[in-house]
Amino acid sequence: QVQLVESGGGSVQAGASLRLSCQASGRAGLSYNIGWFRQAPGKEREFVAAISWNGGLLKYADSVKGRVTISRNNANTVYLQMNSLKPEDTAVYTCAAGDVYGGGSGSAYPYWGQGIQVTVSS
């Protein structure tokens, strides 16, 4: 069973930065493809960014391009650096993992974390 734990969320002012982390565990020695998604109150879940198991493939939602960077520093820790945050970035951010690179498709990720709140005030 794969477990995902997000950290780094919080409440910030518009223009600030946050770095979210996603720690995946469960299968020693194997790397996962990771995607970040977010869901704001009253809205559907939307894709934010994704990275392949070896970091070779990256994908970003148009809404965050230029402000968000996804990276990984070892097999199963993935970071989401978010800069110039806007109030519309307020959402619960959740990381998801899969054996196949799914890009922005949520259905490609069978494993999901609990999510972490990011609140950006104006």
Side-chain angles (χ1 to χ4, degrees), residues 2 4 8 13 16 18 22 33 38 61 72 74 86 100 102 108 113 116:
V2 178
L4 299 165
Q13 296 284 324
L18 278 176
C22 173
N33 301 283
R38 68 185 182 185
R72 61 195 313 155
N74 60 28
K86 305 175 182 180
V100 177
I116 192 165

Side-chain angles (χ1 to χ4, degrees), residues 9-76:
S11 297
V12 297
Q13 296 284 324
S17 298
L18 278 176
R19 189 177 77 160
L20 306 184
S21 299
C22 173
Q23 177 71 46
S25 61
R27 299 189 307 185
L30 296 179
S31 297
Y32 301 101
N33 301 283
I34 301 289
W36 280 98
F37 296 80
R38 68 185 182 185
Q39 188 167 18
K43 295 187 177 181
E44 293 186 355
R45 184 181 67 198
E46 66 172 348
F47 166 72
V48 178
I51 187 167
S52 60
W53 68 275
N54 63 355
L57 295 174
L58 304 176
K59 185 177 178 68
Y60 297 96
D62 289 342
S63 59
V64 302
K65 277 182 182 177
R67 301 189 297 120
V68 168
T69 303
I70 190 169
S71 62
R72 61 195 313 155
N73 72 339
N74 60 28
N76 287 318

Side-chain angles (χ1 to χ4, degrees), residues 12-18 67 82-87 89 120-122:
V12 297
Q13 296 284 324
S17 298
L18 278 176
R67 301 189 297 120
M82 303 189 294
N83 302 321
S84 302
L85 283 163
K86 305 175 182 180
D89 293 318
V120 184
S121 56
S122 59

